[in-house]
Amino acid sequence: MAKNIVIIGGVALGSKAACRFKRLEPEANVILVDQDEIISYGGCGIPFYVSGDVSDISELRTTSFHMVRDEKFFRDVKGFEVRTATRAVKVDREKKTVLVEYKDGTTEELPYDKLVFGTGSRPRNLGIKGQELGNIHAVANLHDAEKIKSLIVKGEVENAVIVGAGFIGLEMAEALTDMWGIETKVVEFCDQIMPGFVSKGLAEMATHHMTGQGVEFFLSESVQEFTGEDGVVKEVRTDKRTLEADLVIMAVGIQPRSELAKDAGLEVGPMGGIVVNERMETSDPDIYAGGDCAEVLHLITGKTAFFPLGSLANREGRVIGTNMAGGNATLEGAVGSFVVRLFESSLAGGGLTLERARKEGYDAVSVQMCQLDRAHFYPEKDLMFLELVVEQGTRRVLGIQGFGSSGDAMVGRINSVAGMLKFKPTVDDISNLELAYSPPFASAMDVVNALGNVADNFLNQLFEGIDAEKFQEYWKDKANEGLFFLDCRALPDAKPFMEKYPEHWHSIPQDELKRRIDEVPRDKKIVLICNTGVRSFEAQLNLRELGIGDNVSVQGGMALVKKWGMDI
Ligand SMILES: Cc1cc2nc3c(=O)[nH]c(=O)nc-3n(C[C@H](O)[C@H](O)[C@H](O)COP(=O)(O)OP(=O)(O)OC[C@H]3O[C@@H](n4cnc5c(N)ncnc54)[C@H](O)[C@@H]3O)c2cc1C
């Protein structure tokens, strides 16, 4: 007898699971229910619809061959039934039924042999006073997208405040500023943007970049209240100031929508997501779950993790579809690879940040470097900033993050390492990672290999590097007699700084260092800097060879300092 499959939720996970399953078992009965009227859309495209990059909202719902993915499409093309505006209200695991409620209030029990939870997530509710005012929106679905876009198109938005500087908040900040010229302010409770995703150093570069494009940031600030007029928001009050706003976007995170599963007695994890195994089975083997409503194994920490990512939801949906048809597909877990475009630059990463790695108990360090993403002689090239998080002792790579202006080049580098993380690569694996090369695409020693080499040198104590934050700290203390700032670039590069800071900025090009070693004091800490960190590393080796051991090199050099927006 043909199987009965019921799927709850039809955006990324649910529709993918249904399509995959029907390809393998065309005779089976599949009913997909969703409480919304719009299903199977690319929510990740919302910021680009709001910006205007995607001109028509229906493009987020069409296939690559321009068919709208609605009930008719799934019936005629994919061969299964979709019931929209239909809410699943109860699951009876003994009877193996799902009670659904239709728009008109009537209900029906749907029997299942296999059931799928693809109920996704909902925006976190911070319960801020005044949050019910008009023109305060989350960005959770296409309805939100339409409401936000229509306000903008009607010219009703001059000042927007975005609460939360995670990837959705930042994408929305770009969308509002870039295309619409709206005065956009981002309020973030933490002391950096993308908290938990990248180090403070990379975050600082991205913040500086976005500030240059007109977005204003208020970090380490929390929103206390929204006030309005005629039911519409007018002001956002933080613990430090009041900001004008005729649009507020709440991007403060999401939480798994797992109550229905919990009420049915399924196991729910510490982050509120449904617990699943590698086959995406819940604690009941006839019920699967995936996407934003589920937790998966973090492939580095070995703990459960909540990664609300469309990429993951799609892969999980396929695993579920295969297994419902009697297959044995698995998804071991994830490392949370992400990328976000911020105007002309991008932030990307995978695995653990240094902060998180230390919190997890790893004896971790991180190295930063900056290098050209293509051959230095090729006309189009850009600097890429990468950070590798490694465990001392084992030399295991725990994570990689980066910031750069060439998004495709950057995401390629991040993916090459992030995709390896589950195999527990060491620094040596990264140094020797085989990567394709041609001058328009890379350097002969790719930036990723170079990053591995920097980490190797660091672990072998061949150099002592400092990041931009530490350099800033030293520079603020420049009157300290114990510090000696030494620029090891060619004289024309160093000269403007020597003229500006005659007492503090010294120059000896690296190729002259050995000859002019008497000019280097032996009783001070030498802070070495060059353009990107290559010559200061060489200079460090020279100084050590000559017995001057107390020196540090700025990893990423002046390029990093400039990207930080440091006033020097
Ligand atoms: C603005 C934005 C940008 C994003 N950008 C990216 C990105 O660049 N990269 C990336 O990887 N991810 C991105 N994401 C995340 C990605 O969109 C989600 O991870 C993905 O949509 C999750 O899919 P899902 O099917 O698990 O859940 P959802 O998309 O949340 O869908 C769940 C569906 O289930 C329905 N439902 C819930 N409960 C019931 C019930 N009881 N009965 C019936 N129906 C129910 C809901 O109405 C909803 O339609 C972005 C998300 C947003 C909002």
Side-chain angles (χ1 to χ4, degrees), residues 7-15 33-36 38-48 86-89 118-122 139-141 167-168 171-172 254 257 259-260 290-293 307-314 316 337-340:
I7 298 180
I8 310 172
V11 180
L13 184 284
S15 45
V33 297
D34 199 301
Q35 62 193 12
D36 208 321
I38 305 174
I39 56 157
S40 193
Y41 55 85
C44 315
I46 291 173
F48 309 100
T86 304
R87 195 162 68 92
V89 286
T119 45
S121 57
R122 63 164 60 83
V139 202
N141 51 43
F167 73 88
I168 293 179
E171 282 184 343
M172 292 304 290
I254 53 173
R257 210 188 311 230
E259 314 77 50
L260 194 59
D292 287 6
C293 66
F307 291 127
L309 293 164
S311 50
L312 188 59
N314 271 283
E316 290 173 342
S337 303
F338 72 91
V339 59
V340 56

Side-chain angles (χ1 to χ4, degrees), residues 1-4 25 27 29 113:
M1 208 172 71
K3 272 187 207 159
N4 284 320
E25 283 205 20
E27 300 303 317
N29 303 313
D113 297 306

